[in-house]
Amino acid sequence: MRTAFWLAGAAALVLAGPASAGDTIKIGFVSTFSGPTAVIGNDMRNSFELALDHLGRKMDGKPVEVIYEDDGQKPDVGKQKTEKLVQSDKVDFIVGYIWSNVLLASLKTVVDSQTFLISANAGPSQLAGELCSPYVFSTSWQNDQTPQAVGTYMNQKGVKSVFLIGPNYAAGKDMLAGVKSTFKGQVVGEEYTVWPSQLDFSAELSKARASGAESIFVFYPGAAGVQFLNQYAQAGLKSTMPLYTAFTIDELSLPLQKENALGVPGAQQWVNDLPNEQNKRFVADYRKKYPGLRPTFYGAQSYDAANLINSAVVAVKGDTSKKDAMKAEMEKANFKSVRGAFKFGNNHIPIQNFYLQDVVKDSEGQLALKTVATIVENDQDRFHDKCKMK
C-alpha cells in the first residue's frame, strides 16, 4: 500500500508538472524592501516593472512572473530568500542584490543550482575574480571601478592628499581600495565605520579635520549618505576640505541633502541625462509612471537587467532549459542599454564608461544630477584576470 501510495503521488506530480512548467518566465528579485534603505529596493523594483511594461509584460510571448523577496539588508536573510526562490519557486533567473555581503552569502546557492543571477548593483571583487561564474552576470560594475574613476578625477584636479571614510563591510572596503588604486597623492588616513547602524560621523569628521588632509573621500549609500553629507556641512568643512564621493549623492538622497550636495562631485556609469534614445524613454516614462520620483542608477541597472534577461529568453525561443545558449547570448550584451553601448568582460562584468556627475538646478528649479564629463572610457575592472572562467 505504501508503494502504491508513493507511485500515485509521484504520478500526480508528473502530471501536474508539465502543465505549468515553461508556461511563464519566472524571475526572483532579491532586494531590500523594508527599513531605511527600502527606498533603494523600491526604486529597483519600480524600474524593473517599467522595463516589463516596455516589453509588454512578456518575453518571447510568455508571461513574466516576478517574485519579490525582501532581504532586510541581512546576509543570512538574503541567503534564505535566495534558497526559497531556487529550491521552492524554481525560478529561471534571480535579479537584484544591493549589498555585496548579501550577494556573497547567496552566491553558492545560485551557482550550485545553475540558476542565472544578474546583479543589478552589488559588485564585490570576489565576484569579478576567483568567484566568477558562467551563471552570474552584472548590469552594474565591480565595486572598485566607480571610486577608481573618482581617484582619477582627483588626480586631474591636482588633489595632493585625502582622508578616506567608509563603512566596514565588503563594498566599503572595495570602494576605499578603489580610490587608493588610482589616486596618486597621499592617503593621510582612513576610517571604517559600523555598518549599517552608525549614522553619527562626528568622530570621523574630527579625525579628518585633524589629519591635515586636503580633501575627504566617502562612500555612504542611502540614509548614511544623507547623514554624512549633512554633518560634513554642519561641521564647516565644506569650505576647507573638498569632498569627493561615490554612491553618496543620487536621485534618492538628493531631495534630503538639498543645497549641501551642491559642489560635491561624484562618478557613475549612468546619469539621467545620457543622450541615447533608450535612456530618454526610460527617464521620461519612469517620471510618468511614478509621479514625483526620478530614476536612479540603481533603477537604471535593474531596467537593463530585465532587458538582458529578455535577450536570452528570445534567443532560445522561450526554452529556458537551454542554459548554454542563454549564456552565450547574454555575453553579447545584445540589447539597448540605458547607459549606451557596453560589452561584458571575460568575468561577465561590464566594460564601460564612467562619467563625472555634479549637482545642478534644472529648468524647473529643482536639484538634479548632470553629466559633466567622461572620466574614463571602456574601463575594465582590475580583478578580471583572476577569473578562470573560459
Side-chain angles (χ1 to χ4, degrees):
M1 289 180 65
R2 288 199 193 105
T3 302
F5 178 80
W6 184 90
L7 288 172
L13 288 173
V14 169
L15 290 172
S20 59
D23 290 348
T24 63
I25 304 300
K26 295 185 72 173
I27 301 172
F29 198 113
V30 179
S31 193
T32 305
F33 300 116
S34 60
T37 56
V39 63
I40 299 175
N42 290 336
D43 179 68
M44 294 172 74
R45 176 168 53 194
N46 288 350
S47 298
F48 198 79
E49 286 291 314
L50 177 60
L52 294 180
D53 288 349
H54 285 171
L55 292 169
R57 314 295 299 186
K58 293 183 178 181
M59 295 182 179
D60 198 62
K62 292 186 176 182
V64 178
E65 176 187 357
V66 185
I67 303 169
Y68 293 96
E69 294 289 353
D70 180 10
D71 60 31
Q73 203 174 341
K74 298 176 181 178
D76 57 334
V77 175
K79 180 183 177 183
Q80 292 169 6
K81 295 302 178 68
T82 301
E83 289 172 347
K84 169 189 174 292
L85 290 168
V86 169
Q87 297 166 7
S88 299
D89 297 316
K90 300 188 185 304
V91 296
D92 300 301
F93 303 88
I94 299 184
V95 186
Y97 300 98
I98 304 173
W99 316 107
S100 292
N101 52 352
V102 174
L103 175 55
L104 288 172
S106 307
L107 194 60
K108 189 175 187 301
T109 297
V110 173
V111 172
D112 286 353
S113 67
Q114 299 185 354
T115 304
F116 283 109
L117 182 151
I118 296 91
S119 173
N121 194 68
S125 54
Q126 300 93 323
L127 192 71
E130 63 270 19
L131 294 183
C132 69
S133 166
Y135 300 100
V136 180
F137 286 78
S138 168
T139 52
S140 55
W141 21 253
Q142 190 278 315
N143 286 339
D144 297 44
Q145 287 183 283
T146 306
Q148 281 180 306
V150 177
T152 298
Y153 174 67
M154 292 167 69
N155 294 335
Q156 295 169 358
K157 291 283 289 182
V159 177
K160 302 300 182 185
S161 61
V162 67
F163 192 94
L164 308 177
I165 307 175
N168 190 17
Y169 81 111
K173 295 174 182 177
D174 282 345
M175 295 290 167
L176 270 58
V179 175
K180 290 189 287 185
S181 71
T182 57
F183 180 60
K184 295 179 180 178
Q186 181 185 5
V187 177
V188 177
E190 55 188 291
E191 288 288 318
Y192 292 90
T193 59
V194 178
W195 180 258
S197 59
Q198 182 175 339
L199 295 176
D200 180 357
F201 305 105
S202 55
E204 288 73 27
L205 288 166
S206 294
K207 290 180 181 179
R209 187 200 302 269
S211 72
E214 178 185 339
S215 63
I216 301 174
F217 170 86
V218 299
F219 159 68
Y220 281 116
V226 175
Q227 292 299 321
F228 183 92
L229 193 59
N230 291 345
Q231 291 169 32
Y232 162 79
Q234 291 165 5
L237 292 176
K238 196 169 183 181
S239 60
T240 60
M241 296 185 74
L243 182 65
Y244 299 88
T245 68
F247 305 105
T248 301
I249 300 172
D250 58 44
E251 286 82 355
L252 297 176
S253 62
L254 191 52
L256 300 174
Q257 293 161 332
K258 299 179 181 177
E259 304 289 329
N260 289 338
L262 288 169
V264 180
Q268 196 48 265
Q269 98 291 7
W270 175 88
V271 189
N272 63 83
D273 60 354
L274 291 180
N276 67 79
E277 292 305 313
Q278 189 77 356
N279 190 52
K280 290 178 182 178
R281 183 189 185 199
F282 165 60
V283 173
D285 287 359
Y286 186 101
R287 296 189 71 179
K288 289 177 186 175
K289 186 176 175 69
Y290 309 106
L293 298 178
R294 295 172 182 260
T296 71
F297 65 88
Y298 300 106
Q301 293 156 183
S302 302
Y303 183 93
D304 273 359
N307 284 290
L308 175 64
I309 292 172
N310 180 64
S311 71
V313 173
V314 170
V316 296
K317 295 180 170 52
D319 185 354
T320 55
S321 67
K322 296 180 177 179
K323 294 182 181 291
D324 288 344
M326 288 197 295
K327 169 182 170 290
E329 182 63 24
M330 286 193 285
E331 287 176 338
K332 299 175 186 176
N334 187 24
F335 68 96
K336 292 181 179 179
S337 168
V338 295
R339 79 197 72 186
F342 79 94
K343 60 182 178 180
F344 282 116
N346 61 299
N347 54 2
H348 297 168
I349 305 294
I351 299 173
Q352 59 195 334
N353 295 351
F354 284 83
Y355 306 97
L356 175 66
Q357 65 174 33
D358 206 353
V359 178
V360 298
K361 288 190 176 180
D362 64 15
S363 59
E364 301 171 2
Q366 297 179 341
L367 293 174
L369 291 168
K370 179 182 179 180
T371 305
V372 179
T374 302
I375 302 174
V376 290
E377 294 183 349
N378 298 319
D379 186 68
Q380 185 169 24
D381 70 273
R382 62 195 182 102
F383 298 96
H384 70 94
D385 57 353
K386 295 183 180 179
C387 174
K388 304 304 180 184
M389 179 172 57
K390 301 297 183 182

